[in-house]
Amino acid sequence: MRKKYTLILFVASLFFVGCSSDYHYANSFIKKFKHGKKTATEQIYVCLPKQVIHTNSSLNDIDDFAFLSIQQQDSVIASLTQILDKIDDSIFLEQFKSSFLYILSRIKVPIVLVDNPTELPKPDENHFVIDIVQLEAEEFLQRSRSDFITRKGTYYSYDYDLRHFSTNVWLRIDAVDTTDVVYFRNEEDMDEFHGTVTSLKDGKATLKTDFRRINVNDAYRTARSLGRSCATLYIEKMLTEYVCRQKGTNKSYFYYNAGTNSIEVILPYQQGIKESFEKIQ
């Protein structure tokens, strides 16, 4: 989740003063489509995922898992899984797809859905291409410990597991200068632990524990949130690259607000790009 603190907004406002021309070009791109003008020739071609990859990363910590019998493997998987086996893939995909397409549609550039990635056009200034290569549902356990030392030097600890769930996506976003580059983005949620020591007596500590445990609804929420995030970041990528094409250079990064279909904040490019997609190829 993006961290937009007051200080960042203040710095951004100062930066904005020196970037009025960048804003003008980026904003002109948005205005070009606001009223569905027929003169606009740009289109966004999108190929959406058709399946969800299920991954329980906790299995990587099991020694010789591959050498266990099928029955033993099933038993281990069942003991480590509480969310993946409850996910309905069709619902999971719909959560990602619907939020992705809704946010992408807010900029009002015509969207063309393509069923097969081989049918995507070659990207150019009028053809923007998004190929969502893979969508993954990942669950894993994190071994955790809370501990403290008393003034007398007595050490106490409490061990527990925190369950994580992450929706991961890999994309090819071929906007003119990024042909065949693969990007990664994820959205993660996890259990939360809160503990309070209520008494220390005879070398023993009494601990009151409280866990917030994630469930399948939280998993669907991460898919929905990731769809929104990917679409927003792609629009921001379109804006920054459009300015670069128009001016020959671009020192600005534009935060896009889908709710108002407008530029929300302008930051120095190197600062803003850090919160964008992770380039892995």
Side-chain angles (χ1 to χ4, degrees):
M1 180 178 295
R2 295 184 167 193
K3 299 178 179 179
K4 298 180 180 177
Y5 300 112
T6 303
L7 178 59
I8 290 180
L9 293 174
F10 175 70
V11 172
S13 65
L14 294 179
F15 178 75
F16 178 80
V17 174
C19 298
S20 58
S21 64
D22 289 354
Y23 172 82
H24 169 76
Y25 283 113
N27 194 48
S28 68
F29 183 82
I30 295 175
K31 286 184 175 180
K32 184 177 182 180
F33 307 96
K34 271 192 172 181
H35 303 292
K37 295 180 180 179
K38 296 181 179 180
T39 54
T41 57
E42 291 87 346
Q43 289 181 314
I44 304 175
Y45 291 80
V46 180
C47 186
L48 294 165
K50 299 178 179 61
Q51 63 179 352
V52 181
I53 305 299
H54 288 227
T55 301
N56 192 325
S57 300
S58 294
L59 299 179
N60 297 333
D61 299 327
I62 306 299
D63 293 335
D64 301 325
F65 178 81
F67 299 100
L68 298 177
S69 67
I70 298 298
Q71 292 79 9
Q72 289 172 324
Q73 288 183 353
D74 288 344
S75 178
V76 170
I77 292 173
S79 69
L80 295 175
T81 304
Q82 289 189 8
I83 297 178
L84 284 176
D85 57 349
K86 297 179 178 65
I87 287 177
D88 183 315
D89 283 6
S90 61
I91 296 176
F92 193 83
L93 282 167
E94 183 59 29
Q95 293 294 311
F96 177 85
K97 291 178 182 179
S98 60
S99 63
F100 178 83
L101 290 176
Y102 173 73
I103 297 299
L104 194 63
S105 70
R106 293 293 297 162
I107 201 169
K108 302 187 185 304
V109 180
I111 298 172
V112 180
L113 297 181
V114 178
D115 190 62
N116 191 322
T118 61
E119 299 173 356
L120 289 167
K122 184 178 180 180
D124 56 36
E125 292 186 7
N126 293 321
H127 299 82
F128 301 97
V129 178
I130 309 172
D131 180 11
I132 303 176
V133 180
Q134 181 171 292
L135 189 67
E136 178 184 48
E138 179 187 15
E139 179 178 356
F140 60 95
L141 290 176
Q142 175 189 1
R143 309 297 179 183
S144 304
R145 168 175 289 185
S146 293
D147 54 9
F148 68 96
I149 301 176
T150 66
R151 292 179 180 179
K152 294 181 179 181
T154 305
Y155 176 77
Y156 294 92
S157 65
Y158 178 71
D159 295 325
Y160 51 93
D161 291 333
L162 294 178
R163 189 172 304 275
H164 292 243
F165 184 89
S166 179
T167 299
N168 310 316
V169 67
W170 288 261
L171 316 90
R172 287 191 177 93
I173 43 181
D174 301 335
V176 184
D177 63 341
T178 57
T179 302
D180 207 31
V181 173
V182 177
Y183 292 89
F184 173 81
R185 186 79 179 178
N186 77 316
E187 184 76 23
E188 186 174 322
D189 200 358
M190 63 178 290
D191 292 342
E192 294 179 2
F193 167 78
H194 301 280
T196 303
V197 176
T198 57
S199 69
L200 291 173
K201 187 176 181 181
D202 299 329
K204 295 182 180 180
T206 301
L207 183 68
K208 179 181 179 181
T209 63
D210 179 40
F211 288 90
R212 183 193 76 89
R213 298 294 190 182
I214 58 175
N215 55 42
V216 68
N217 290 326
D218 295 309
Y220 292 142
R221 182 190 58 76
T222 65
R224 185 167 61 253
S225 179
L226 184 60
R228 290 196 300 266
S229 172
C230 287
T232 301
L233 292 174
Y234 184 74
I235 291 172
E236 292 173 355
K237 188 173 185 297
M238 292 174 66
L239 295 175
T240 56
E241 291 179 351
Y242 177 78
V243 173
C244 191
R245 290 197 300 275
Q246 299 303 307
K247 294 183 58 180
T249 183
N250 179 24
K251 298 180 180 180
S252 305
Y253 188 93
F254 309 96
Y255 276 180
Y256 175 75
N257 186 325
T260 58
N261 186 27
S262 63
I263 296 168
E264 183 176 23
V265 178
I266 301 179
L267 291 177
Y269 180 81
Q270 291 302 325
Q271 181 178 346
I273 198 65
K274 291 178 181 178
E275 295 187 22
S276 186
F277 296 107
E278 177 186 351
K279 187 185 296 186
I280 62 174
Q281 178 179 317

